[in-house]
């Protein structure tokens, strides 16, 4: 009886703590916690803007333990993944990573993520929200494929910013400077193995570190020891969101609604609408959603996710987009917006009716000044390229390393 | 590489009908059959030295449209009037016999209720009849014209008049029990009248679903012929039309030509390794076999494959064949003509079904039997006979597994049930074989050993059969078609799925 009373009646409801939690909790000066996939997760640790500048000018770590990780292995693993995602998985070499989206039968995006090829017949798929049910469905009918959810087995840390290579070198990762973007390399680490991929979600130089969960803290300590002179700093969701927007990366629940979660027909998006047509490989004879996407390609895409450079400095959050300055013809809506310190521009991603992309584009911006509401119309310019794409993100070896 | 216009997988009756239609339209057609002989579930198979029997011994509603289109009469098919269907209650009471429109052996009250009951159901069945012959419309896609078949059925039902129309809408999804309880009192008769809504399906008298619809399907064109003579006529018609039939030729894979333009069925690879090319491949194998085993899900959409994967294909009927030293005698019957039902009441059927829900067969199985040697003496040595019984409900996934002991036990129970109306049966027995649904799956290549290849229920019927995006015989892979019992309308020896598929291919 007394034992039963001691057990936490809400045990199953409480947020899980990542292997890095003891260190992250100590650094979370503002106690700004939210949650991601059932993990306690930092919105920010100290100040979102400060953390953002660490990413852009120094280095920072971002906990990706809550990210979903699936090990997909077996003789049919490549075929199964190749049918599931729109890109050609057979082209992915061992120790390489690729960015992918996958669609339902109607060609609407279920989720995006990355595929790591870890061996001849071994892959890891990562994504933002749980996708096991869909992956299992996609594996139905293949005899030789095993799908395992390894999300809780791996301690994973994203490490981003221009000084990351130097820090990793200082940590003892010999030859890290020769690792190319989307490459994977393994290093011995205190009797175990540390896997490093040159990947990230900031559009800048950066890496992701993967290690078995029991070695997570030791890895953290080694990294933070090496990064100390570089003022290594953890960053949370808010800084990530700023950095990814500058890089032009999409976010679920912002740019797209996962197709398996929408109720309304076409409240979800296709890869073409998300401007991810480059991920859709029609040279493949078949992949899930191909028929629908081919029809869309021939018919034309109704909306296109567009990068906008907006005059002024008022972020166009949740703005309507119009064809005319008088705002009589609505042609779209903003999905994410911010003042970009790196680009020194008022930037946004917006879903805009494709046929109006060549004409004038105006945004109606609501903003607040000391509790008073104001509104204004601002001219928008379509930007073809990401707002932040420094050459160092792609250089091998990276500069200063 | 050998090349044909069309390859048909499986020489069951539907495969043969489809192939013959296409050959008659000028196509070069190759039928590939896994077994040594054509016929599918209607193929006779030796089960005791000198004794043969098909799994499906007779047809009760082979489509006259198909028979006419294929000229089957010239090939020896005779569609006889319906055979008697007799309830043997096993309690010494006189048999109740339904034969077409007539009913014998019933109480005065039941006999009085019969003509109207029967006539009304027949009007419903007649109104629905054309829809079994038509390709169902696509859901939410396709030209408005494709909705015509449904519109026509609606119109035919409307033409029945307000009262019939209302009654149809009221009863079409009723449990069989509710329907017959409203009109009759004699339990054995009610079991007899409910039976054709149930046999072959995962349904009991109290199940609301497709039982009434199944019965109306079976009433749409009543006739009678032996399964073996049907296959014989179909084989003859096929070869006359120029169809090439190859037996002992199991197909291992459906070949797909795949390039940046997409996918297209290109032929088949046999288990022997030989590859044969064709413009189109039409499979009469069940949908799971066709899509998952023969084609492979890598050519299909994820959602579609999973819909195929969750089709309900677990059969519930075991086949019991008995070799008899002479003609069996049943209480109160001069001869064992037609079909005999050993289910004394609706409850007896319901209880037998209950056991199957929990992975068991009942201590008191219910069964339908016939003596096919009465019309096809060649199945047994002269003067001797075969009794062929459908034993319900025998779940494919028997919890304890279908070992020899389980089969012997179920056979003994079935025999005991029949003996109540045929006391001398055991003494006449020379041997027997019980084929569980697992055996049927193995010997006849049908997933789950299912009577209809996949359950005929509201969610797997009409434009949902076997599932949307494959319900018009066409599959998601260009050039690959379905033509077996897993398609609209359903199983039984009717030829309609094969015929409808051929019409679509030629359209
Ligand atoms: C126990 C039982 C009793 C039945 N009794 C009756 C009855 O009395 N009356 C009635 O009307 N209906 C009866 N049925 C139902 C009826 O038999 C079926 O609905 C009907 O046979 C379906 O015909 P089909 O041509 O579509 O398929 P099938 O008859 O199943 O024929 C399919 C053919 O395809 C072949 N095949 C499968 N895979 C391959 C491959 N890979 N390569 C080559 N060939 C392949 C098979 O060998 C088979 O010959 C019964 C069913 C069962 C299970």
């Amino acid at each position: 009886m007394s034992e039963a009373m001691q057990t936490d009646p809400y045990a199953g409801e409480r947020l899980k703590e990542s292997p890095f939690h003891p260190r992250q909790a100590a650094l979370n000066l503002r106690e700004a916690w939210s949650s991601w996939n059932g993990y306690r997760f930092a919105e920010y640790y100290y100040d979102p803007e400060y953390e953002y500048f660490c990413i852009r000018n120094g280095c920072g770590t971002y906990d990706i333990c809550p990210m979903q990780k699936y090990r997909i292995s077996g003789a049919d693993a490549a075929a199964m993944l190749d049918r599931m995602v729109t890109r050609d998985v057979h082209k992915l070499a061992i120790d390489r990573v690729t960015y992918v989206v996958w669609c339902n039968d109607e060609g609407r995006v279920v989720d995006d993520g990355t595929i790591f090829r870890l061996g001849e017949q071994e892959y890891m798929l990562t994504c933002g929200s749980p996708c096991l049910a869909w992956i299992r469905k996609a594996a139905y009918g293949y005899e030789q494929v095993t799908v395992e959810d390894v999300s809780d087995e791996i301690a994973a840390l994203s490490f981003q910013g221009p000084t990351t290579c130097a820090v990793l070198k200082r940590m003892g990762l010999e030859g890290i400077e020769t690792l190319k973007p989307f490459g994977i390399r393994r290093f011995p680490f205190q009797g175990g193995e540390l896997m490093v991929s040159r990947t990230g979600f900031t559009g800048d130089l950066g890496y992701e570190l993967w290690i078995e969960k029991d070695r997570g803290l030791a890895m953290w300590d080694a990294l933070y020891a090496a990064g100390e002179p570089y003022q290594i700093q953890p960053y949370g969701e808010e800084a990530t969101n700023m950095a990814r927007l500058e890089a032009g990366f999409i976010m679920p629940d912002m740019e797209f609604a996962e197709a398996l979660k929408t109720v309304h027909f076409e409240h979800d998006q296709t890869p073409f609408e998300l401007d991810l047509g480059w991920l859709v490989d029609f040279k493949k004879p078949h992949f899930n959603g191909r028929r629908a996407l081919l029809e869309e390609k021939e018919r034309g895409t109704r909306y296109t996710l567009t990068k906008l450079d907006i005059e002024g400095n008022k972020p166009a959050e949740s703005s309507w987009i119009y064809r005319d300055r008088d705002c009589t013809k609505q042609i779209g809506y903003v999905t994410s917006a911010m003042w970009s310190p790196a680009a020194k521009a008022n930037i946004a991603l917006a879903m805009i009716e494709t046929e109006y992309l060549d004409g004038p584009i105006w945004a109606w911006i609501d903003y607040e000044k000391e509790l008073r509401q104001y509104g204004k119309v601002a001219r928008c310019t379509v930007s073809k390229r990401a707002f932040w794409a420094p050459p160092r993100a792609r250089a091998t070896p990276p500069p200063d390393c | 590489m050998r090349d044909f216009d069309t390859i048909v997988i499986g020489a069951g009756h539907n495969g043969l009908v489809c192939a013959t239609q296409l050959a008659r339209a000028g196509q070069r057609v190759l039928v590939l059959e896994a077994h040594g002989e054509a016929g599918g579930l209607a193929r006779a198979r030796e089960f005791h030295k000198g004794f043969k029997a098909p799994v499906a011994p007779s047809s009760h509603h082979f489509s006259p449209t198909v028979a006419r289109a294929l000229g089957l009469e010239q090939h020896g098919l005779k569609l006889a009037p319906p055979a008697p269907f007799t309830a043997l209650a096993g309690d010494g009471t006189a048999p109740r016999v339904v034969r077409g429109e007539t009913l014998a052996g019933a109480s005065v009250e039941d006999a009085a209720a019969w003509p109207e009951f029967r006539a009304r159901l027949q009007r419903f069945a007649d109104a629905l009849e054309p829809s079994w012959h038509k390709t169902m419309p696509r859901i939410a896609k396709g030209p408005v014209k494709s909705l015509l078949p449904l519109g026509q059925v609606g119109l035919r039902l409307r033409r029945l008049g307000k009262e019939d129309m209302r009654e149809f809408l009221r009863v079409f999804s009723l449990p069989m029990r509710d329907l017959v309880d409203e009109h009759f009192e004699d339990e054995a008769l009610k079991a007899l009248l409910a039976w054709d809504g149930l046999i072959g399906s995962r349904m009991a008298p109290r199940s609301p679903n497709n039982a009434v619809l199944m019965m109306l399907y079976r009433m749409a064109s009543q006739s009678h012929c032996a399964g073996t003579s049907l296959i014989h006529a179909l084989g003859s018609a096929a070869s006359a039309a120029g169809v090439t039939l190859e037996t002992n030729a199991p197909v291992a894979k459906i070949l797909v030509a795949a390039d940046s333009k997409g996918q297209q069925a290109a032929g088949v690879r046999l288990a022997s390794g030989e590859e044969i090319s064709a413009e189109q491949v039409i499979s009469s194998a069940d949908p799971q076999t066709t899509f998952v085993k023969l084609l492979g899900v890598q050519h299909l959409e994820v959602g579609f494959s999973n819909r195929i994967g969750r089709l309900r294909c677990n059969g519930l009927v075991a086949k019991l064949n008995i070799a008899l030293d002479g003609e069996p005698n049943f209480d109160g019957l001069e001869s064992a003509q037609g079909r005999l039902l050993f289910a004394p009441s609706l409850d007896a059927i319901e209880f037998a079904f209950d056991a199957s829900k929990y992975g068991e067969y009942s201590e008191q199985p219910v069964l339908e039997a016939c003596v096919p040697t009465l019309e096809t003496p060649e199945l047994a040595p002269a003067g001797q006979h075969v009794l062929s019984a459908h034993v319900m409900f025998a779940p494919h996934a028997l919890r304890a597994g279908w070992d020899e002991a389980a089969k012997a036990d179920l056979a003994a129970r079935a025999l005991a049930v029949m003996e109540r109306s045929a006391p001398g049966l055991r003494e006449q027995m020379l041997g027997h074989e019980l084929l569980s649904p697992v055996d049927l799956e193995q010997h006849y290549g049908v997933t789950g050993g299912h009577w209809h290849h996949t359950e005929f229920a509201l969610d797997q019927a009409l434009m949902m059969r076997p599932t949307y995006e494959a319900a018009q015989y066409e599959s998601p892979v260009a050039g690959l078609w379905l033509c077996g019992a897993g398609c609209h309308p359903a199983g039984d020896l009717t030829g309609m799925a094969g015929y409808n598929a051929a019409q679509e291919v030629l359209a």
Side-chain angles (χ1 to χ4, degrees):
Chain A
M1 179 70 194
S2 68
E3 208 176 303
M5 284 180 68
Q6 274 165 22
T7 59
D8 179 357
Y10 305 108
E13 296 291 321
R14 300 210 187 268
L15 293 175
K16 293 186 276 189
E17 290 176 352
S18 106
F20 305 125
H21 186 73
R23 301 295 181 270
Q24 295 184 146
L27 293 169
N28 197 328
L29 304 181
R30 304 290 176 239
E31 296 287 347
W33 298 108
S34 66
S35 68
W36 179 17
N37 292 340
Y39 276 90
R40 186 188 299 268
F41 193 73
E43 283 291 322
Y44 52 91
Y45 289 81
Y46 170 60
D47 175 76
E49 300 244 331
Y50 173 75
E51 289 161 24
Y52 159 82
F53 280 109
C54 289
I55 300 172
R56 289 291 177 239
N57 300 329
C59 61
T61 64
Y62 177 68
D63 187 357
I64 50 174
C65 295
M67 196 166 65
Q68 302 297 288
K69 308 164 198 80
Y70 304 104
R71 186 182 298 132
I72 298 170
S73 50
D76 290 335
M80 174 255 158
L81 285 168
D82 194 62
R83 194 271 296 246
M84 183 173 125
V85 307
T86 60
R87 253 185 142 166
D88 191 341
V89 174
H90 294 298
K91 283 187 190 152
L92 185 65
I94 292 178
D95 285 342
R96 297 286 300 163
V97 185
T98 188
Y99 172 59
V100 293
V101 287
W102 51 99
C103 299
N104 65 11
D105 294 11
E106 288 74 42
R108 320 213 54 100
V109 173
V110 171
D111 209 346
D112 67 345
T114 47
I115 297 179
F116 291 60
R117 182 152 184 213
L118 301 178
E120 188 55 41
Q121 298 183 351
E122 194 181 338
Y123 297 82
M124 178 170 74
L125 176 76
T126 72
C127 53
S129 36
C131 208
L132 190 59
W134 182 255
I135 296 169
R136 289 231 170 100
K137 279 185 148 192
Y140 166 75
Y142 291 95
E143 275 167 21
Q144 299 189 55
V145 61
T146 320
V147 178
E148 293 161 89
D149 184 346
V150 292
S151 304
D152 293 342
E153 309 306 314
I154 299 173
L157 197 60
S158 189
F159 184 44
Q160 304 286 308
T163 61
T164 48
C165 182
V167 171
L168 290 178
K169 230 171 137 178
R170 198 160 178 268
M171 186 183 161
L173 305 191
E174 201 104 5
I176 187 70
E177 69 279 6
T178 61
L179 182 60
K180 293 189 177 136
F182 291 104
I184 297 172
R185 191 142 332 151
R186 293 171 180 78
F187 300 89
F189 181 82
Q190 298 188 4
E193 185 186 79
L194 169 62
M195 184 174 95
V196 180
S197 56
R198 191 166 160 192
T199 46
F201 198 45
T202 59
D204 210 317
L205 177 63
Y207 300 84
E208 286 170 333
L209 313 182
W210 314 80
I211 197 159
E212 64 180 278
K213 70 167 186 290
D214 293 341
R215 296 183 198 275
L217 272 188
M219 181 192 83
W220 175 286
D221 291 341
L223 180 69
Y224 270 69
E228 208 256 9
Y230 293 86
Q231 295 179 353
I232 184 171
Q233 161 76 26
Y235 64 93
E237 189 55 29
E238 289 196 22
T240 295
N241 198 24
M242 294 169 76
R244 71 89 197 171
L245 178 52
E246 289 180 334
F249 296 154
I250 59 169
M251 244 341 200
D253 290 338
M254 306 273 293
E255 276 66 42
F256 72 100
E258 295 163 32
L260 301 180
K261 296 180 184 165
T262 53
V263 174
H264 192 287
F265 177 63
E266 291 184 353
H267 270 182
D268 37 29
Q269 288 74 26
T270 69
F272 293 116
E273 289 175 336
L274 294 171
D275 200 22
L276 296 175
W278 59 281
L279 293 180
V280 181
D281 189 348
F282 285 119
K283 285 200 222 81
K284 293 204 296 184
H286 182 62
F287 54 84
N288 213 54
R290 186 183 192 274
R291 181 192 291 227
L293 289 174
L294 200 58
E295 276 172 25
E296 186 190 3
K297 195 174 177 212
E298 278 156 17
R299 188 178 63 228
T301 298
R302 175 138 181 251
Y303 281 97
T304 304
L305 186 68
T306 307
K307 301 180 192 74
L308 294 181
D309 187 345
I310 304 173
E311 68 179 6
N313 62 3
K314 298 282 177 273
E317 271 178 56
S318 307
S319 288
W320 293 114
I321 299 291
Y322 295 91
R323 187 181 57 175
D324 54 332
R325 184 176 202 141
D326 294 340
C327 300
T328 60
K329 170 71 186 164
Q330 191 202 309
I331 57 172
Y333 56 94
V334 167
T335 59
S336 304
M338 70 183 278
W339 168 260
S340 161
K344 307 241 178 322
N346 191 23
I347 67 171
L349 288 174
M351 273 291 183
I352 301 179
E353 288 184 45
T354 313
E355 60 173 307
Y356 297 111
L357 280 179
D358 290 336
I361 299 176
W362 296 88
W364 173 263
I365 302 175
D366 285 314
Y367 62 99
E368 190 199 283
K369 247 185 193 172
E370 299 179 326
L371 302 183
R372 293 285 297 274
Q373 299 297 326
Y374 297 88
K376 67 177 240 180
V377 188
R379 183 193 297 276
C380 306
T381 313
V382 172
S383 172
K384 290 280 171 217
R385 298 203 287 123
F387 299 106
W388 185 249
R392 67 184 178 219
R394 268 161 292 121
T396 309
D400 310 323
C401 193
Chain B
M1 198 195 293
R2 291 196 287 159
D3 175 71
F4 289 82
D5 294 327
T6 296
I7 291 173
V8 174
I9 301 175
H13 85 293
N14 276 318
L16 291 173
V17 166
C18 186
T20 306
Q21 275 280 93
L22 295 179
R24 286 166 70 107
Q27 294 198 0
R28 294 169 306 127
V29 183
L30 172 66
V31 179
L32 296 166
E33 167 55 47
H35 285 275
E37 276 170 67
L41 288 162
R43 154 175 64 90
R45 179 172 167 281
E46 186 169 81
F47 66 94
H48 183 79
K49 187 136 185 36
F51 291 77
K52 292 169 94 183
V55 172
S58 51
S59 168
H60 317 295
H61 57 130
F62 190 81
S63 159
T65 311
V66 176
R68 231 176 294 117
L70 268 57
L72 292 181
E73 211 170 305
Q74 290 93 287
H75 295 279
L77 183 71
K78 232 183 107 245
L79 291 181
F85 187 22
T86 305
L88 294 165
D91 57 2
T93 54
R96 291 71 156 168
V97 188
V98 169
R99 183 168 203 166
E101 287 161 25
T102 65
L103 169 65
S107 69
V108 177
E109 289 80 6
D110 285 350
W114 168 254
E116 200 189 317
F117 173 80
R118 154 85 207 180
R120 176 170 259 165
L121 286 184
Q122 192 62 53
R123 288 199 297 277
F124 295 163
D126 292 347
L128 289 179
E129 194 271 338
S131 64
W132 310 122
H133 273 297
K134 296 222 163 70
T135 298
M136 287 290 109
R138 285 179 166 73
I139 300 172
K141 240 197 195 164
V144 175
K145 179 168 74 113
S146 68
L147 292 171
L148 267 181
L150 281 193
Q152 282 166 347
V153 174
L155 212 65
R156 288 177 69 102
L157 289 169
R158 277 292 287 276
R159 266 198 233 119
L160 294 175
K162 193 157 81 180
E163 202 188 323
D164 264 6
M165 170 89 178
R166 283 175 170 166
E167 180 65 2
F168 174 79
L169 291 176
R170 187 182 73 87
V171 305
F172 88 93
S173 65
L174 268 191
M176 285 309 296
R177 169 155 210 141
D178 292 333
L179 180 67
V180 295
D181 268 354
E182 283 173 11
H183 300 272
F184 302 100
E185 49 175 36
D186 170 25
E187 276 298 320
L189 176 65
K190 288 196 281 191
L192 185 73
L193 297 179
W195 186 256
D196 274 348
L198 310 175
I199 174 82
S201 301
R202 179 176 290 280
M203 257 170 250
R206 288 186 197 274
S207 314
N209 203 314
N210 248 6
V212 172
L213 212 55
M214 174 50 78
M215 191 175 59
L216 297 177
Y217 167 57
R218 286 174 168 156
M219 288 175 73
S221 56
Q222 294 165 74
S223 61
H224 173 86
C225 69
T228 42
S229 56
L230 172 64
I231 295 305
H232 195 266
L234 283 172
S236 160
S239 92
V243 170
T244 311
L245 168 66
E246 278 176 28
T247 53
N248 291 316
V251 171
K253 275 284 163 207
I254 293 165
L255 301 176
V256 175
D259 57 24
S260 56
K261 287 199 238 56
Q263 315 183 98
Q264 161 82 37
V268 300
R269 180 165 63 245
L270 300 180
S272 67
E274 187 193 355
E275 296 194 348
I276 309 172
S277 66
E279 287 280 300
Q280 55 221 345
V281 175
I282 309 178
S283 174
S284 74
D286 67 86
Q288 269 184 13
T289 299
T290 302
F291 287 120
V292 183
K293 288 205 198 110
L294 301 182
L295 178 68
V297 296
Q298 71 271 22
H299 300 295
L300 296 166
E301 305 286 334
V302 170
F304 179 85
S305 323
N306 279 266
R307 293 207 304 280
I308 295 296
R310 69 169 182 240
L311 289 175
R312 300 195 302 289
C313 299
N314 284 346
L316 277 173
V317 185
K319 180 87 245 179
L320 174 62
N321 286 319
I322 304 180
L324 296 171
D325 201 12
E327 191 177 334
N329 291 307
F330 294 93
D331 289 347
L333 287 187
E334 258 169 47
S335 124
Q337 290 290 344
R339 304 193 283 152
L340 311 172
L341 181 67
F342 300 86
S345 67
L346 288 171
D347 277 347
I349 305 175
E350 194 75 41
F351 294 155
F353 177 74
D354 286 345
S356 77
K357 291 192 285 194
Y358 309 103
E360 281 157 18
Y361 55 77
S362 164
E363 306 215 342
Q364 308 274 350
V366 289
L367 50 119
E368 177 195 322
C370 67
V371 182
T373 33
L374 291 176
E375 55 183 342
T376 318
E378 311 83 80
L379 293 173
Q384 299 184 315
H385 285 273
V386 170
L387 183 143
S388 161
H390 313 314
V391 184
M392 293 228 281
F393 292 82
H396 176 266
L398 188 67
R399 207 186 312 157
W402 280 111
D403 55 12
E404 288 307 316
K407 291 199 277 178
D409 183 52
L410 180 58
R413 286 166 198 247
L415 189 66
V417 167
M418 287 189 282
E419 273 185 308
R420 284 187 217 138
S421 308
L425 195 59
R426 193 177 295 263
E427 285 69 52
Q428 289 178 299
M429 230 171 88
L430 301 171
H432 77 274
E433 180 185 60
L434 184 121
L435 297 171
S436 73
V438 172
D439 296 324
L440 292 171
E441 179 171 67
Q442 274 163 14
H443 295 311
Y444 292 87
V446 178
T447 301
H450 198 289
W451 182 294
H452 297 291
H453 285 193
T454 184
E455 195 64 26
F456 178 77
L458 278 177
D459 61 314
Q460 298 188 176
L462 306 169
M463 57 278 219
M464 304 278 278
R465 185 163 183 84
T467 180
Y468 49 94
E469 294 174 320
Q472 289 75 31
Y473 308 96
E474 201 177 10
S475 84
V477 172
L480 173 64
W481 304 74
L482 297 180
C483 75
C487 303
H488 175 73
D492 285 5
L493 302 171
T494 72
M496 291 196 256
Y499 174 83
N500 293 356
Q503 299 298 99
E504 274 303 299
V505 172
L506 293 172

